[in-house]
Amino acid sequence: YTLAESFYLALPYLSWQAVVFGDPLARATDGPAPAAEVPTAGDTSGVTPFVARSASVLRNRQPALGEQAARLLVRANLSIAAGRPADAGELLEQVTVLAPGYTGAHFLLGQHYEAEGKHELARARYLRVLQAEPAHVIALNNLAYNLAVHAGKVAEALPIAERAARLAPDAPEVLDTVGWIRHLAGDSRRALDSLRQATSRNASMCESWAHLAVAERAAGSAPAARAAADKAISCDPALGSSALLQDVKNW
Protein backbone atom coordinates (compact mmCIF):
# COMPACT_ATOMS: atom_id res chain seq x y z
CA TYR A 1 0.00 0.00 0.00
CA THR A 2 1.02 3.60 -0.54
CA LEU A 3 1.33 5.87 2.48
CA ALA A 4 -2.01 7.53 1.65
CA GLU A 5 -3.72 4.15 1.30
CA SER A 6 -2.27 3.03 4.62
CA PHE A 7 -3.61 6.15 6.34
CA TYR A 8 -7.03 5.57 4.80
CA LEU A 9 -7.16 1.90 5.84
CA ALA A 10 -6.16 2.86 9.39
CA LEU A 11 -9.06 5.29 9.83
CA PRO A 12 -11.54 2.77 11.28
CA TYR A 13 -9.06 1.98 14.04
CA LEU A 14 -7.97 5.55 14.74
CA SER A 15 -11.09 7.68 14.37
CA TRP A 16 -14.58 6.46 13.52
CA GLN A 17 -15.75 10.08 13.19
CA ALA A 18 -13.18 11.14 10.59
CA VAL A 19 -14.34 12.68 7.32
CA VAL A 20 -12.52 11.79 4.10
CA PHE A 21 -13.07 13.97 1.05
CA GLY A 22 -13.94 11.76 -1.89
CA ASP A 23 -15.41 8.98 0.26
CA PRO A 24 -19.12 8.75 -0.68
CA LEU A 25 -19.93 7.54 2.85
CA ALA A 26 -18.27 10.53 4.51
CA ARG A 27 -19.61 14.07 4.43
CA ALA A 28 -18.34 17.45 5.61
CA THR A 29 -20.91 20.10 6.50
CA ASP A 30 -21.25 23.20 8.64
CA GLY A 31 -24.88 22.46 9.44
CA PRO A 32 -26.77 19.61 11.07
CA ALA A 33 -26.96 16.22 9.44
CA PRO A 34 -29.66 15.96 6.74
CA ALA A 35 -32.97 14.61 8.00
CA ALA A 36 -32.54 11.53 5.82
CA GLU A 37 -29.49 10.54 7.88
CA VAL A 38 -31.21 11.09 11.22
CA PRO A 39 -34.06 8.58 11.64
CA THR A 40 -36.39 9.29 14.53
CA ALA A 41 -36.16 7.12 17.62
CA GLY A 42 -39.21 5.09 16.61
CA ASP A 43 -38.14 4.61 13.00
CA THR A 44 -36.97 1.04 12.42
CA SER A 45 -37.28 1.13 8.62
CA GLY A 46 -33.74 0.53 7.53
CA VAL A 47 -30.39 2.13 8.30
CA THR A 48 -28.50 4.63 6.16
CA PRO A 49 -25.08 3.61 4.77
CA PHE A 50 -23.43 6.20 7.02
CA VAL A 51 -25.06 4.71 10.14
CA ALA A 52 -24.16 1.16 9.10
CA ARG A 53 -20.53 2.05 8.35
CA SER A 54 -20.07 4.09 11.52
CA ALA A 55 -21.66 1.36 13.64
CA SER A 56 -19.35 -1.26 12.14
CA VAL A 57 -16.28 0.81 12.94
CA LEU A 58 -17.59 1.59 16.43
CA ARG A 59 -18.05 -2.11 17.18
CA ASN A 60 -14.40 -2.74 16.29
CA ARG A 61 -13.43 -0.33 19.06
CA GLN A 62 -16.18 -1.19 21.55
CA PRO A 63 -16.63 -4.97 21.83
CA ALA A 64 -19.38 -4.52 24.45
CA LEU A 65 -21.70 -3.18 21.75
CA GLY A 66 -23.74 -5.51 19.58
CA GLU A 67 -24.71 -4.55 16.04
CA GLN A 68 -28.12 -3.12 16.93
CA ALA A 69 -26.81 -1.22 19.96
CA ALA A 70 -23.98 0.28 17.90
CA ARG A 71 -26.40 1.48 15.24
CA LEU A 72 -28.68 3.00 17.86
CA LEU A 73 -25.72 4.78 19.44
CA VAL A 74 -24.67 6.28 16.10
CA ARG A 75 -28.25 7.41 15.51
CA ALA A 76 -28.33 8.95 19.00
CA ASN A 77 -25.21 10.97 18.21
CA LEU A 78 -26.74 12.10 14.92
CA SER A 79 -29.89 13.16 16.77
CA ILE A 80 -27.81 15.20 19.22
CA ALA A 81 -26.03 16.88 16.30
CA ALA A 82 -29.38 17.60 14.64
CA GLY A 83 -30.76 19.25 17.78
CA ARG A 84 -33.25 16.50 18.61
CA PRO A 85 -32.50 15.68 22.26
CA ALA A 86 -35.76 13.81 22.89
CA ASP A 87 -34.95 11.30 20.14
CA ALA A 88 -31.36 11.06 21.40
CA GLY A 89 -32.52 10.26 24.92
CA GLU A 90 -34.90 7.54 23.75
CA LEU A 91 -32.21 5.97 21.56
CA LEU A 92 -29.66 6.03 24.38
CA GLU A 93 -32.15 4.34 26.69
CA GLN A 94 -32.46 1.55 24.14
CA VAL A 95 -28.66 1.24 23.94
CA THR A 96 -28.39 0.79 27.71
CA VAL A 97 -30.98 -2.00 27.59
CA LEU A 98 -29.23 -3.82 24.74
CA ALA A 99 -25.69 -3.22 26.06
CA PRO A 100 -25.97 -2.61 29.83
CA GLY A 101 -22.22 -3.03 30.26
CA TYR A 102 -21.34 -0.21 27.87
CA THR A 103 -20.65 2.70 30.22
CA GLY A 104 -20.36 5.27 27.43
CA ALA A 105 -24.12 5.16 26.82
CA HIS A 106 -24.90 5.52 30.53
CA PHE A 107 -22.61 8.55 30.70
CA LEU A 108 -24.17 10.20 27.64
CA LEU A 109 -27.61 9.53 29.08
CA GLY A 110 -26.54 11.15 32.36
CA GLN A 111 -25.47 14.27 30.48
CA HIS A 112 -28.73 14.21 28.53
CA TYR A 113 -30.76 14.09 31.74
CA GLU A 114 -28.69 16.94 33.22
CA ALA A 115 -29.52 19.09 30.20
CA GLU A 116 -33.20 18.18 30.62
CA GLY A 117 -33.13 19.14 34.30
CA LYS A 118 -33.78 15.54 35.38
CA HIS A 119 -31.03 15.53 37.96
CA GLU A 120 -32.07 12.43 39.90
CA LEU A 121 -32.07 10.34 36.72
CA ALA A 122 -28.68 11.81 35.81
CA ARG A 123 -27.24 10.78 39.18
CA ALA A 124 -28.41 7.21 38.67
CA ARG A 125 -26.56 7.03 35.34
CA TYR A 126 -23.35 8.51 36.74
CA LEU A 127 -23.46 5.92 39.52
CA ARG A 128 -23.80 3.16 36.92
CA VAL A 129 -20.70 4.49 35.18
CA LEU A 130 -18.73 4.64 38.42
CA GLN A 131 -19.67 1.10 39.39
CA ALA A 132 -17.79 -0.08 36.31
CA GLU A 133 -15.16 2.69 36.14
CA PRO A 134 -14.48 4.11 39.62
CA ALA A 135 -11.83 6.48 38.24
CA HIS A 136 -14.06 8.07 35.56
CA VAL A 137 -13.16 11.68 36.35
CA ILE A 138 -15.98 13.42 34.49
CA ALA A 139 -18.62 11.14 36.01
CA LEU A 140 -17.16 11.80 39.47
CA ASN A 141 -17.12 15.54 38.82
CA ASN A 142 -20.66 15.65 37.42
CA LEU A 143 -22.04 13.47 40.21
CA ALA A 144 -20.41 15.62 42.89
CA TYR A 145 -21.79 18.86 41.44
CA ASN A 146 -25.22 17.29 40.95
CA LEU A 147 -25.37 16.06 44.55
CA ALA A 148 -24.19 19.34 46.05
CA VAL A 149 -26.13 21.82 43.92
CA HIS A 150 -29.27 19.96 42.89
CA ALA A 151 -29.77 17.54 45.79
CA GLY A 152 -28.32 19.65 48.61
CA LYS A 153 -26.11 16.74 49.73
CA VAL A 154 -22.92 18.73 50.20
CA ALA A 155 -21.33 16.39 52.75
CA GLU A 156 -21.85 13.42 50.43
CA ALA A 157 -20.60 15.34 47.41
CA LEU A 158 -17.37 16.69 48.90
CA PRO A 159 -15.33 13.43 49.05
CA ILE A 160 -16.44 12.59 45.50
CA ALA A 161 -15.27 15.99 44.25
CA GLU A 162 -11.98 15.65 46.12
CA ARG A 163 -11.40 12.22 44.57
CA ALA A 164 -11.91 13.73 41.12
CA ALA A 165 -9.45 16.49 42.03
CA ARG A 166 -6.83 13.94 43.08
CA LEU A 167 -7.24 12.11 39.77
CA ALA A 168 -7.19 15.29 37.65
CA PRO A 169 -5.47 17.99 39.73
CA ASP A 170 -4.96 20.34 36.77
CA ALA A 171 -8.42 20.17 35.18
CA PRO A 172 -10.13 23.58 35.58
CA GLU A 173 -13.66 22.11 35.55
CA VAL A 174 -12.72 19.75 38.37
CA LEU A 175 -11.01 22.53 40.33
CA ASP A 176 -14.12 24.68 39.97
CA THR A 177 -16.38 21.90 41.24
CA VAL A 178 -14.28 20.98 44.26
CA GLY A 179 -13.75 24.65 45.10
CA TRP A 180 -17.45 25.47 44.93
CA ILE A 181 -18.42 22.44 47.01
CA ARG A 182 -15.82 23.37 49.63
CA HIS A 183 -17.44 26.80 49.77
CA LEU A 184 -20.90 25.26 50.13
CA ALA A 185 -19.49 23.10 52.94
CA GLY A 186 -18.49 26.28 54.79
CA ASP A 187 -14.77 26.22 54.01
CA SER A 188 -14.50 29.27 51.77
CA ARG A 189 -10.87 29.97 52.55
CA ARG A 190 -9.82 26.50 51.38
CA ALA A 191 -12.16 26.84 48.42
CA LEU A 192 -10.34 29.94 47.20
CA ASP A 193 -7.18 28.09 46.21
CA SER A 194 -9.10 25.71 43.93
CA LEU A 195 -11.30 28.43 42.43
CA ARG A 196 -8.36 30.73 41.76
CA GLN A 197 -6.56 27.89 40.01
CA ALA A 198 -9.68 27.10 37.95
CA THR A 199 -10.04 30.67 36.67
CA SER A 200 -6.31 31.04 36.02
CA ARG A 201 -6.23 27.82 33.98
CA ASN A 202 -9.37 28.66 31.98
CA ALA A 203 -10.45 32.29 32.11
CA SER A 204 -13.41 31.59 29.81
CA MET A 205 -15.28 29.56 32.45
CA CYS A 206 -17.73 32.33 33.32
CA GLU A 207 -19.48 30.61 36.21
CA SER A 208 -16.12 29.87 37.84
CA TRP A 209 -15.54 33.61 38.15
CA ALA A 210 -18.96 33.90 39.82
CA HIS A 211 -18.09 31.06 42.21
CA LEU A 212 -14.80 32.79 43.00
CA ALA A 213 -16.58 36.10 43.64
CA VAL A 214 -18.96 34.48 46.13
CA ALA A 215 -16.12 32.65 47.90
CA GLU A 216 -14.02 35.84 48.08
CA ARG A 217 -16.97 37.64 49.65
CA ALA A 218 -17.46 34.85 52.20
CA ALA A 219 -13.75 35.06 53.04
CA GLY A 220 -14.11 38.82 53.65
CA SER A 221 -12.19 40.20 50.66
CA ALA A 222 -14.42 42.87 49.12
CA PRO A 223 -12.03 44.12 46.37
CA ALA A 224 -11.25 40.58 45.19
CA ALA A 225 -14.94 39.65 45.26
CA ARG A 226 -15.94 42.65 43.15
CA ALA A 227 -13.08 42.06 40.70
CA ALA A 228 -14.12 38.43 40.22
CA ALA A 229 -17.78 39.46 39.83
CA ASP A 230 -16.79 41.98 37.15
CA LYS A 231 -14.88 39.22 35.34
CA ALA A 232 -17.91 36.93 35.53
CA ILE A 233 -20.28 39.56 34.13
CA SER A 234 -17.82 40.57 31.41
CA CYS A 235 -17.55 36.91 30.44
CA ASP A 236 -21.32 36.30 30.53
CA PRO A 237 -23.55 39.39 30.96
CA ALA A 238 -26.48 37.17 32.02
CA LEU A 239 -24.65 36.49 35.28
CA GLY A 240 -25.18 40.14 36.20
CA SER A 241 -28.82 39.43 36.99
CA SER A 242 -28.24 35.99 38.50
CA ALA A 243 -29.04 35.25 42.13
CA LEU A 244 -25.50 33.91 42.49
CA LEU A 245 -23.93 37.38 42.34
CA GLN A 246 -26.59 39.49 44.05
CA ASP A 247 -24.93 39.43 47.47
CA VAL A 248 -21.56 40.37 45.97
CA LYS A 249 -23.03 43.26 43.96
CA ASN A 250 -24.93 44.58 46.98
CA TRP A 251 -21.98 44.29 49.36
Side-chain angles (χ1 to χ4, degrees):
Y1 297 107
T2 66
L3 183 60
E5 289 171 334
S6 299
F7 284 161
Y8 184 78
L9 291 171
L11 279 174
Y13 305 96
L14 299 178
S15 176
W16 71 278
Q17 293 176 316
V19 174
V20 181
F21 290 97
D23 182 347
L25 297 180
R27 175 180 54 82
T29 179
D30 291 330
E37 289 188 7
V38 192
T40 60
D43 178 14
T44 58
S45 59
V47 176
T48 67
F50 177 82
V51 169
R53 175 175 177 266
S54 298
S56 176
V57 174
L58 182 57
R59 287 186 65 201
N60 288 335
R61 299 181 59 188
Q62 303 292 346
L65 286 171
E67 181 178 353
Q68 186 179 357
R71 290 181 174 185
L72 289 170
L73 183 58
V74 172
R75 288 170 57 188
N77 282 318
L78 286 171
S79 294
I80 292 170
R84 287 159 49 175
D87 281 346
E90 187 176 337
L91 289 163
L92 288 169
E93 285 280 9
Q94 293 178 49
V95 174
T96 61
V97 172
L98 291 170
Y102 180 61
T103 56
H106 290 289
F107 178 72
L108 287 173
L109 201 49
Q111 291 187 311
H112 166 75
Y113 284 138
E114 289 276 18
E116 295 285 301
K118 300 174 181 177
H119 302 296
E120 186 174 355
L121 292 175
R123 289 195 294 275
R125 294 297 171 173
Y126 294 143
L127 286 169
R128 285 289 298 270
V129 173
L130 292 169
Q131 286 173 0
E133 299 180 39
H136 194 299
V137 172
I138 305 176
L140 285 166
N141 189 67
N142 290 5
L143 177 62
Y145 189 89
N146 186 313
L147 282 168
V149 174
H150 301 299
K153 298 180 179 180
V154 176
E156 184 179 343
L158 184 55
I160 299 172
E162 290 182 334
R163 172 167 169 72
R166 288 193 296 272
L167 291 168
D170 298 324
E173 296 83 1
V174 173
L175 289 165
D176 173 58
T177 296
V178 72
W180 184 239
I181 294 175
R182 283 171 176 164
H183 164 74
L184 294 177
D187 189 0
S188 294
R189 290 191 179 277
R190 189 161 171 246
L192 287 174
D193 180 58
S194 297
L195 292 170
R196 287 168 181 165
Q197 287 187 60
T199 53
S200 68
R201 291 179 185 279
N202 187 350
S204 66
M205 288 172 44
C206 308
E207 196 170 28
S208 292
W209 286 108
H211 290 163
L212 178 59
V214 175
E216 293 281 14
R217 183 196 186 286
S221 178
R226 293 193 183 101
D230 288 343
K231 287 275 193 180
I233 295 168
S234 174
C235 178
D236 180 3
L239 287 170
S241 57
S242 70
L244 191 61
L245 290 179
Q246 289 309 304
D247 286 345
V248 177
K249 291 170 63 180
N250 296 331
W251 193 18

